[in-house]
Amino acid sequence: MGREAAEGRARKAETRATGAQAGPERAGNRAADGADSTAAGAAGTSVEDSVDRHIARWTGKVPFDVPTEAVITRIQLLAKHVSHGKERALAETGLQAFEFETMHRLASRGAPWRAPSAELAAELLLSPAGMTGRLDTLEKSGLVRRLRAAADRRRVDVVLTPEGHRRWTEAMRWRGIAEAEMIEPLDDAERAALAALLKRMLLSVETR
């Protein structure tokens, strides 16, 4: 998928998300759009996807609950598409996964995007030697800097550089494009309903 096509679809999804703020002159058009969306959704459910073919292939050959298989298999396939979107974001920005993940941890702290090296290593499940090697690479690329903490000279802090923050922001933008493409077929009400259903499923698993 080309960069232009991806960004075009993302802009379309963002336009839909901000449509509710458009003003009274578009109220009538939104009602018509809603009817069109409902019709399109109904048509979409009648189109066969890879999971329908998977279920048809295995029906009668092994016992399974069809609705459960349909839900779980689609979740698995969508998760793969999310992973591919993340890979594309890295490819577009020339980052490696370990570089993005380290900068992501720093960016999550907010400005000035700084954290102790030992704290980062614990979060990333890295040994001190592994963390040092990773930071050597990131520092050589100009994405982070290491500083001695003023209060404790034994502590080394890692700081995201402006260039590192720019590259991380660009990768996040490409991730957003991939996510917008995935959810674009759903209107606001459908997105809210799906989020609520997935939350119920996740809570059930997390609270067992």
Side-chain angles (χ1 to χ4, degrees):
M1 182 183 303
R3 179 187 292 247
E4 295 82 3
E7 291 185 319
R9 270 193 281 272
R11 284 193 294 270
K12 181 179 178 182
E14 290 168 357
T15 299
R16 170 183 285 176
T18 56
Q21 304 171 5
E25 69 276 7
R26 296 183 58 187
N29 290 337
R30 284 201 298 271
D33 291 343
D36 291 342
S37 176
T38 300
T45 59
S46 65
V47 177
E48 188 179 72
D49 68 2
S50 60
V51 176
D52 292 320
R53 294 189 288 275
H54 161 77
I55 290 172
R57 183 167 59 250
W58 285 100
T59 296
K61 298 174 183 174
V62 63
F64 63 89
D65 179 72
V66 171
T68 300
E69 183 73 8
V71 169
I72 298 302
T73 307
R74 286 190 175 100
I75 288 175
Q76 291 173 331
L77 291 176
L78 287 170
K80 287 183 179 180
H81 284 288
V82 170
S83 179
H84 292 160
K86 292 179 179 180
E87 292 170 2
R88 190 177 75 193
L90 293 177
E92 292 288 350
T93 51
L95 292 172
Q96 298 185 62
F98 78 86
E99 292 174 322
F100 174 85
E101 185 59 33
T102 306
M103 292 193 295
H104 195 61
R105 299 282 180 170
L106 287 169
S108 71
R109 266 96 175 154
W113 316 307
R114 179 171 180 160
S117 175
E119 189 176 293
L120 280 180
E123 290 183 14
L124 296 165
L125 303 179
L126 290 172
S127 66
M131 191 72 230
T132 297
R134 177 174 294 198
L135 293 177
D136 286 344
T137 301
L138 286 162
E139 196 164 35
K140 185 180 293 186
S141 299
L143 302 175
V144 304
R145 287 186 299 126
R146 281 175 283 195
L147 303 171
R148 291 286 177 183
D152 183 355
R153 301 296 295 174
R154 294 170 300 176
R155 193 183 86 186
V156 176
D157 283 354
V158 184
V159 184
L160 195 59
T161 66
E163 173 63 10
H165 189 262
R166 185 193 69 77
R167 297 274 296 279
W168 170 81
T169 300
E170 183 68 1
M172 289 297 290
R173 187 178 75 85
W174 278 102
R175 281 192 173 197
I177 289 172
E179 292 165 0
E181 288 176 348
M182 286 188 64
I183 204 164
E184 194 273 335
L186 305 181
D187 63 28
D188 291 343
E190 290 168 332
R191 296 178 192 193
L194 178 59
L197 291 171
L198 291 173
K199 181 177 180 179
R200 281 173 58 190
M201 291 177 65
L202 185 58
L203 280 173
S204 176
V205 173
E206 290 181 339
T207 57
R208 285 179 185 170

